[in-house]
Amino acid sequence: MAEFSGQLTLRAEARPDGRTVLATQSFRAPYHISKPYWDEAARTLLVQVVNPTAGILSGDRLESNITVAENAALLVTTPSASRVFKMKDGTAECRQHFTVASGGWLEVLPEPLVPHRGCVYRQMTHIEVATGGALFFADLLMPGRVGHGEAWAWEKLCLEIDVRLSGELILRERFTHSGAALRALAELNGSGPTACFGNAVLLAEGTATWIPAVTALHRAGIWLGVSALRRGGWSLKCVAPDSLRLRQTMLELRRILAGHFPKLACDPRKL
């Protein structure tokens, strides 16, 4: 079976007219990017990162580095879910590094991660934002191929995230669970056997007058909470009973936040 050592490098810079362009781009399979789209209304460049292979397989090692320079604005998304396939032996690993300069804006909004039966996968995310920069990062997790009876059937899943603001560590999280352990957690809070999880980080200046509207999304079937980081931002977490409700909740969340952070009005499905 072929093993990929994928690499993606993007650097977004602002032109004199205010438009954001990709000043640097390089990628190696299984990474590929679509033609960037400039959203004039949101003043944001949209880039979709595509995996032209079936998904992530045993032995794959993926690394991405995305940088947003001063006054540039970039939304990075994916057109479809990231599937991590069954592994008879071995593991797969993804390292992603996001850097935002002062005055820059970066949104990372991929489609959900779908771990299949028997997979072992580790994802390490490092975020560095300078004072005056802003970022919205979302990580969505489905319980597996529900329609194939594979919910909560992965072997091991490790999701790590470090967030630094002006060099200071303000958030460190490590999520390491077997599928069975996470299923027990989902059943404990009453979310059901097809529960999906959303984890988001917002780093931005300004007052948090949006919090009441966001916490109002916590309702029957949806668990949603907001926690202030030690400085400069917030952690937002969501548990939904299925993928449809998770997507709907994330859309509502972005709509609310876009009223305070206009670049979140960029439509990730525009392409």
Side-chain angles (χ1 to χ4, degrees):
M1 180 180 296
E3 297 179 357
F4 285 103
S5 179
Q7 177 270 334
L8 171 69
T9 299
L10 301 176
R11 178 178 174 83
E13 296 183 357
R15 297 192 319 197
D17 63 3
R19 284 196 173 213
T20 296
V21 297
L22 291 182
T24 300
Q25 58 175 293
S26 66
F27 46 86
R28 182 172 63 236
Y31 285 119
H32 186 75
I33 64 171
S34 64
K35 181 179 179 180
Y37 171 82
W38 174 246
D39 188 321
E40 183 65 37
R43 305 294 294 173
T44 300
L45 185 68
L46 168 62
V47 173
Q48 286 190 347
V49 178
V50 180
N51 183 342
T53 70
I56 299 172
L57 304 172
S58 177
D60 286 357
R61 297 292 180 265
L62 311 176
E63 183 168 354
S64 60
N65 289 275
I66 298 176
T67 301
V68 176
E70 185 177 1
N71 299 325
L74 179 67
L75 165 57
V76 178
T77 185
T78 59
S80 60
S82 295
R83 299 185 177 274
V84 186
F85 286 96
K86 181 177 181 179
M87 301 172 186
K88 293 182 179 180
D89 52 47
T91 66
E93 184 177 281
C94 175
R95 296 175 181 268
Q96 46 191 17
H97 194 168
F98 306 109
T99 305
V100 185
S102 180
W105 165 268
L106 173 62
E107 180 179 4
V108 181
L109 187 68
E111 287 294 294
L113 179 70
V114 184
H116 288 212
R117 182 191 307 274
C119 72
V120 180
Y121 179 68
R122 184 183 183 192
Q123 176 179 287
M124 291 152 283
T125 302
H126 300 276
I127 295 172
E128 299 184 34
V129 179
T131 300
L135 169 138
F136 182 77
F137 169 83
D139 214 6
L140 309 181
L141 174 65
M142 291 178 59
R145 297 194 302 173
V146 175
H148 290 72
E150 287 190 7
W152 317 106
W154 67 78
E155 182 68 25
K156 184 178 180 181
L157 182 65
C158 179
L159 305 177
E160 304 173 26
I161 180 171
D162 282 4
V163 181
R164 295 181 181 273
L165 181 61
S166 300
E168 178 185 352
L169 182 66
I170 60 171
L171 176 66
R172 171 168 287 169
E173 293 183 340
R174 180 183 174 90
F175 167 102
T176 304
H177 283 293
S178 67
L182 195 57
R183 176 172 187 157
L185 179 62
E187 291 177 345
L188 183 65
N189 70 18
S191 297
T194 59
C196 297
F197 296 82
N199 184 29
V201 175
L202 173 64
L203 300 184
E205 296 179 343
T207 58
T209 54
W210 46 268
I211 287 183
V214 168
T215 54
L217 297 176
H218 180 93
R219 53 185 181 266
I222 302 293
W223 293 70
L224 192 147
V226 181
S227 300
L229 301 179
R230 61 184 298 170
R231 71 182 185 95
W234 299 267
S235 172
L236 303 95
K237 298 188 184 300
C238 177
V239 183
D242 52 54
S243 60
L244 179 60
R245 295 288 298 277
L246 178 64
R247 292 173 187 274
Q248 291 174 338
T249 302
M250 290 302 297
L251 285 173
E252 292 181 71
L253 173 63
R254 289 183 79 247
R255 178 184 56 79
I256 292 169
L257 293 177
H260 303 264
F261 310 100
K263 295 189 184 305
L264 280 168
C266 184
D267 183 0
R269 303 271 71 84
K270 192 73 176 182
L271 294 180

